[in-house]
Structure formats: C-alpha cells, structure tokens
Amino acid sequence: MTMSPQHAARRRTYRRRRWIVGIIAVIVLALIAAAAFVVITYADANNGIHRSSIAGVTGPAQNTGETNILIMGLDSRVDENGKPFPQAIYDQIHAEDASVGGYNTNVLMLIHIPANGGKAVGISIPRDDYVDFPDSPGGVDKGKIKEAYGDAMEASMTALTSKGVSEADAYQQSRTAARQSTIKTVSAFLGDVRIDHFVEVTMAAFYEVAQAVQPITVCLNHATADTFSGADFPAGVQELNAAQSMAFVRQRRDTTSSDFDMTDLDRTRRQQAFMVSLAVKLKQASTFTDFGKLQKLIDVAKKDVALDDQLDLLSFAQQAQSLAGGNISFVTLPIDHFDTVDGQSVNIVDVDAIRAQVHDLLNPPTAGASASPTPSSSAGSTSGSGSGSSGSSAPATPNPVYTDSSSPLQSGNVPCVN
C-alpha cells in the first residue's frame, strides 16, 4: 500500500520526536556537566557536529551490550572552533571573556548503561582529584584530573605548530589529543574501565539550551547567594530561568553566610540534581514540539558540542530512552582528604577504594539479590516558597528529598540539595 505524503510526514515527525526524546537522555547528561544539553536531528548528527576518534584509547571493543559514556564539561570560554562566545552570554553566565580560563574539564561524569535494561548510573569524578596521567602530557606525570585535557592540548599544539601545521588544523587535532588523553586518564583512574563514547560540551551550550527549556524546578535546603556565580536563591522549591540555572550549577560558595559552608562537592550535587529535575520536566514536555527551538538547539550543538565518531545517535536512541524517563541514579566518588601539592589545593583519594566502588557500581547484584535501600530524607526542607531576587516560587514538588553527596541521588523526583 502506498503511503500518503501526509502519513509519511507524520511518521517521520513521530520517529524524529521519539529519537529526540531518547537522545535527550544522553545529551542532558552533558547539560549538567556545567555545560550543555542539545537536541539534534539525524540529518544534522553527522553534518556539522564536531567528531573525534577515540579508537584504541581504552582497548578493543567488547560485545557486552553495555555502554559507558564519558561526559566532559569544559571550563573554556570559547566554542568548539576556539571562537569567543557573544558578549551577552559572558554577561549572563557571570564568566570572564575568552582571555580568561583554560581547558579544564571541570565536570567529568561516567554514565554506565547496563545491557539488561537495569538502572543506569552516573558517576561524578571530583575535578581536583590528584591522579596519575598515563600519557604524561608535556612531561607531567601527575596532577588534578581536570588538567589532563589542557596539558595534553598544550603539548599537542606546541608539537604541531613547530612542525608547520596551520593554527586551525593544529587546534582541532589538539582538541582530539586532549579528549583522548582525558579518556585514558579517567579509564586508568577508575580501574581500566572501558569508555565507549564521549560527549563534550561548553558553558555557552548550557546557557543557550537552558533558554529553550526554562523554567526548571529545583529545591534548595537553604537560602544562599554568591557574588562569583551570580546565585541568589531563597530556600525551598522554585523555578529558575536560564541565567539562574547557570548560577545554580556553578555555585560552590556562599558569600553571605558564615554558618553555611559550601564546597565543590555541593556543586557536583547541584549538577546531578539539576539533571534529575530536567528529566522530570522532559517527561511532561512539550518543549521539543517547537521546531524553531529545535533548529536553535541544532545550531548550538554545531558550535558547542563534540562527540566521538562512533556514537550513532539514531541507533543509540532506543537504549538511551529509558534515561529520559528517570531510570538513572547518581553518585559522587569519595575524597580521602584535602592537601596541597606544588602549591595547589588537591583532593587526595584512595585509588584502590575508588576502583572497588566503581567495579561494584558497574556490576550490581543480579535480579533477586537484595537491593540497597533508597536514602532517606535528612536535614532537608520538603517544600518551599519565598521570593528571592533570583528564584521565583513554585508549587511544591511531591516529596522532595535531600541526601548528602556520599549517598546516591535517585532520579524520578526533584531533589532538595544545598
């Protein structure tokens, strides 16, 4: 039977929307990496999005059906072509211009999607963990894990330009070298964990995408403000616009209260909570029926997102779709203590304990084994109102729950965090 043009168009639209909803799950992860979330049509997935090869970086392919994706959120103030953001974006995200900031991966999160349809897990790696660099970029053997990217990029740029490679070509080749070095570093640190794919995003992508999906509902246990990030929030459940969302995921200090001590781990928890809140919204969403917004997001992806060259977004959509429905939990790897090394404040970690924890997270008990209990509420407000200079009040979300950063953050409901 010949399909009518109208029927064919409806099928294409349905297929594209289903794919979009599925791929949101993966790209949403990038969004929380303090960087971005993007929606792409299949036609554009391989036409304009930056791609890098990671073949052979963490060993041969394994036919297990599992997938590990490394999310890298860059602190750079430039896009994927090394070009400055529009000044309006610097103003809105409370960040300095392109002359400030390097190429640190200030957000690193491994997303593990099991083969059997079980619950996925997002593993956040604190950016200042002091680790070995397998590649020794620029002769550096150890450092903060976030610095592997920038060290490798600088070493590659120096080598390539000394050979007469044009600056534009050297820049893109060096970004590839930086991604590969980061993947090797993370893989080795976690216990030679295979990394199948990566998603890299910049700060600007987060802001531009947040504009398309705003407002996002979040919940805070304390009123807080921070002149560095621009955060200024009341306690409780509230809705955030794009600029406020950026401040929410970047805040790591409170500049108004002597008895409220925030840390980098609280910021990591914020990022995880925002991802969960975004997934809650997308479950109800009509955001992606607006094709004008979709085209804008596609344009953002081309400037501010990079993927590995083997990540087929269309075929991956079905596997990823359950994440958009909330089938994921998040953990933050522990820190043993803080120290100063070569004048830098670093996180000292128990590598053996981390590798054992990661192994257990990637190999959970089989069905029928006793499951870990869901963390209970502690020291958290359960609903809120209030009108700060940033967040606007919103109806209370059912049973918002706070858990500290050492406990898994469960998806499916808006969590309260510090």
Side-chain angles (χ1 to χ4, degrees), residues 38-72:
V38 58
V39 183
I40 356 175
T41 65
Y42 181 69
D44 281 312
N46 296 299
N47 180 24
I49 307 299
H50 286 79
R51 297 275 189 165
S52 283
S53 172
I54 59 172
V57 171
T58 60
Q62 300 175 11
N63 187 26
T64 62
E66 299 179 346
T67 304
N68 293 323
I69 305 169
L70 183 64
I71 306 302
M72 297 185 282

Side-chain angles (χ1 to χ4, degrees), residues 218-220 272-274 276-277 400-402 409-410 413-417:
V218 301
C219 179
L220 285 171
Q272 295 170 348
F274 192 88
V276 171
S277 294
V401 172
Y402 169 73
L409 190 155
Q410 306 297 328
N413 203 3
V414 173
C416 290
V417 292

